[in-house]
Coordinates of all heavy atoms in Angstrom, one line a residue:
E4 N 0.8 -1.2 0.0 CA 0.0 0.0 0.0 C 0.9 1.3 0.0 O 0.5 2.2 -0.7 CB -0.9 0.0 1.2 CG -1.9 1.3 1.2 CD -3.0 1.2 2.2 OE1 -3.3 0.1 2.7 OE2 -3.5 2.2 2.6
A5 N 2.0 1.3 0.7 CA 2.9 2.4 0.8 C 3.4 2.7 -0.6 O 3.5 3.9 -1.0 CB 3.9 2.2 1.8
F6 N 3.8 1.6 -1.3 CA 4.4 1.9 -2.7 C 3.3 2.5 -3.6 O 3.6 3.5 -4.3 CB 4.9 0.5 -3.3 CG 5.6 0.7 -4.6 CD1 7.0 0.8 -4.6 CD2 4.9 0.7 -5.8 CE1 7.7 1.0 -5.8 CE2 5.5 0.9 -7.0 CZ 6.9 1.0 -7.0
A7 N 2.1 2.0 -3.5 CA 1.0 2.5 -4.4 C 0.7 3.9 -4.0 O 0.6 4.8 -4.8 CB -0.2 1.6 -4.2
Q8 N 0.6 4.2 -2.7 CA 0.3 5.6 -2.2 C 1.4 6.5 -2.6 O 1.1 7.7 -3.0 CB 0.1 5.6 -0.7 CG -0.4 6.9 -0.2 CD -0.9 6.9 1.1 OE1 -1.4 5.9 1.7 NE2 -1.0 8.1 1.8
D9 N 2.7 6.1 -2.5 CA 3.8 7.0 -2.9 C 3.8 7.3 -4.3 O 3.9 8.4 -4.7 CB 5.1 6.4 -2.5 CG 5.4 6.3 -1.0 OD1 4.6 7.1 -0.2 OD2 6.3 5.6 -0.6
A10 N 3.5 6.2 -5.1 CA 3.5 6.4 -6.6 C 2.4 7.3 -7.0 O 2.6 8.4 -7.7 CB 3.5 5.1 -7.4
I11 N 1.2 7.0 -6.8 CA 0.0 7.7 -7.2 C -0.1 9.1 -6.4 O -0.3 10.1 -7.1 CB -1.3 7.0 -7.0 CG1 -1.3 5.7 -7.9 CG2 -2.5 7.8 -7.3 CD1 -1.3 5.9 -9.4
G12 N 0.2 9.0 -5.2 CA 0.1 10.3 -4.3 C 1.1 11.3 -4.8 O 0.9 12.5 -4.6
S13 N 2.2 10.9 -5.4 CA 3.3 11.9 -5.8 C 2.7 12.8 -6.9 O 3.3 13.9 -7.1 CB 4.5 11.1 -6.2 OG 4.3 10.5 -7.5
F14 N 1.7 12.4 -7.6 CA 1.2 13.2 -8.7 C 0.1 14.2 -8.3 O -0.2 15.1 -9.0 CB 0.6 12.3 -9.8 CG 1.5 11.5 -10.6 CD1 2.0 10.2 -10.2 CD2 2.0 12.0 -11.8 CE1 2.9 9.5 -10.9 CE2 3.0 11.3 -12.5 CZ 3.4 10.0 -12.1
I15 N -0.4 13.9 -7.1 CA -1.6 14.7 -6.7 C -1.3 15.7 -5.7 O -0.7 15.5 -4.6 CB -2.7 13.7 -6.1 CG1 -3.0 12.6 -7.1 CG2 -3.9 14.5 -5.6 CD1 -3.9 11.6 -6.6
T16 N -1.6 17.0 -6.1 CA -1.3 18.1 -5.2 C -2.4 18.2 -4.1 O -3.4 17.5 -4.2 CB -1.3 19.4 -6.0 OG1 -2.7 19.7 -6.5 CG2 -0.3 19.4 -7.2
Q17 N -2.1 19.1 -3.2 CA -3.1 19.2 -2.0 C -4.5 19.7 -2.5 O -5.5 19.4 -1.8 CB -2.5 20.2 -1.0 CG -1.3 19.6 -0.2 CD -1.7 18.3 0.5 OE1 -2.7 18.1 1.1 NE2 -0.8 17.3 0.3
D18 N -4.5 20.4 -3.6 CA -5.8 20.9 -4.1 C -6.4 20.0 -5.2 O -7.4 20.3 -5.8 CB -5.7 22.3 -4.7 CG -4.7 22.5 -5.9 OD1 -4.0 21.4 -6.1 OD2 -4.7 23.5 -6.4
G19 N -5.9 18.7 -5.3 CA -6.5 17.7 -6.1 C -6.1 17.7 -7.6 O -6.6 16.9 -8.4
K20 N -5.2 18.6 -8.0 CA -4.7 18.6 -9.4 C -3.8 17.4 -9.5 O -3.1 17.0 -8.6 CB -4.0 19.9 -9.6 CG -5.0 21.1 -9.7 CD -4.4 22.3 -10.2 CE -5.4 23.4 -10.4 NZ -6.0 23.9 -9.2
I21 N -3.6 16.9 -10.8 CA -2.8 15.8 -11.0 C -1.7 16.2 -12.0 O -2.0 16.6 -13.1 CB -3.7 14.6 -11.6 CG1 -4.8 14.2 -10.7 CG2 -2.8 13.4 -11.9 CD1 -5.8 13.3 -11.2
K22 N -0.5 16.0 -11.6 CA 0.6 16.4 -12.4 C 0.8 15.4 -13.6 O 0.6 14.3 -13.4 CB 2.0 16.4 -11.6 CG 1.9 17.5 -10.5 CD 3.0 17.3 -9.6 CE 2.8 18.3 -8.4 NZ 3.7 18.1 -7.3
T23 N 1.1 16.0 -14.8 CA 1.2 15.3 -16.1 C -0.1 14.9 -16.6 O -0.1 14.3 -17.8 CB 2.3 14.2 -16.1 OG1 1.7 13.0 -15.5 CG2 3.6 14.6 -15.4
Y24 N -1.2 15.0 -16.0 CA -2.6 14.6 -16.5 C -3.1 15.8 -17.3 O -3.2 16.9 -16.8 CB -3.5 14.3 -15.4 CG -4.9 14.1 -15.7 CD1 -5.4 13.1 -16.6 CD2 -5.8 15.0 -15.2 CE1 -6.7 13.0 -16.9 CE2 -7.2 14.9 -15.5 CZ -7.6 13.9 -16.4 OH -9.0 13.8 -16.7
N25 N -3.5 15.5 -18.6 CA -4.1 16.5 -19.4 C -5.5 16.0 -19.8 O -5.7 15.2 -20.6 CB -3.2 16.7 -20.7 CG -3.9 17.7 -21.6 OD1 -5.0 18.2 -21.4 ND2 -3.2 17.9 -22.7
P26 N -6.6 16.6 -19.1 CA -7.9 16.1 -19.4 C -8.4 16.4 -20.7 O -9.2 15.7 -21.3 CB -8.7 16.9 -18.3 CG -7.9 18.0 -17.8 CD -6.5 17.6 -18.0
G27 N -7.8 17.4 -21.4 CA -8.2 17.8 -22.8 C -7.8 16.7 -23.8 O -8.2 16.8 -24.9
K28 N -6.9 15.8 -23.4 CA -6.6 14.7 -24.4 C -7.7 13.7 -24.5 O -7.7 12.9 -25.4 CB -5.2 14.0 -24.0 CG -4.0 14.9 -24.1 CD -2.7 14.3 -23.9 CE -2.7 13.0 -23.2 NZ -1.3 12.5 -22.8
F29 N -8.5 13.6 -23.5 CA -9.6 12.7 -23.5 C -9.1 11.2 -23.7 O -9.7 10.5 -24.5 CB -10.7 13.1 -24.4 CG -11.4 14.3 -24.0 CD1 -11.1 15.5 -24.8 CD2 -12.3 14.3 -23.0 CE1 -11.7 16.7 -24.4 CE2 -12.9 15.6 -22.6 CZ -12.7 16.7 -23.3
E30 N -8.1 10.8 -23.0 CA -7.7 9.4 -23.1 C -8.2 8.6 -21.9 O -7.9 8.9 -20.8 CB -6.2 9.3 -23.1 CG -5.5 10.0 -24.3 CD -4.1 9.8 -24.4 OE1 -3.4 9.0 -23.6 OE2 -3.4 10.5 -25.3
L31 N -9.0 7.6 -22.2 CA -9.6 6.7 -21.2 C -8.5 6.1 -20.3 O -8.7 5.8 -19.2 CB -10.5 5.7 -21.7 CG -11.9 6.2 -22.3 CD1 -12.7 5.1 -22.8 CD2 -12.6 7.0 -21.1
D32 N -7.3 5.8 -21.0 CA -6.3 5.1 -20.2 C -5.8 6.0 -19.0 O -5.4 5.4 -18.0 CB -5.0 5.0 -21.1 CG -5.2 3.8 -22.1 OD1 -6.1 3.1 -22.0 OD2 -4.3 3.7 -23.0
D33 N -6.0 7.3 -19.1 CA -5.6 8.1 -18.0 C -6.5 8.0 -16.8 O -6.2 8.4 -15.7 CB -5.6 9.6 -18.4 CG -4.4 10.0 -19.3 OD1 -3.5 9.2 -19.4 OD2 -4.5 11.0 -20.0
L34 N -7.7 7.4 -17.0 CA -8.6 7.2 -15.9 C -8.4 6.0 -15.1 O -8.8 5.8 -13.9 CB -10.1 7.2 -16.4 CG -10.5 8.4 -17.2 CD1 -11.9 8.3 -17.7 CD2 -10.3 9.7 -16.3

């Protein structure tokens, strides 16, 4: 769980934004 939280959590800012995620690309893989 720590590995998963570190990996995924490293992308998520305190205000819920996701680094390197571009919603305008509309790629289902990103979900």
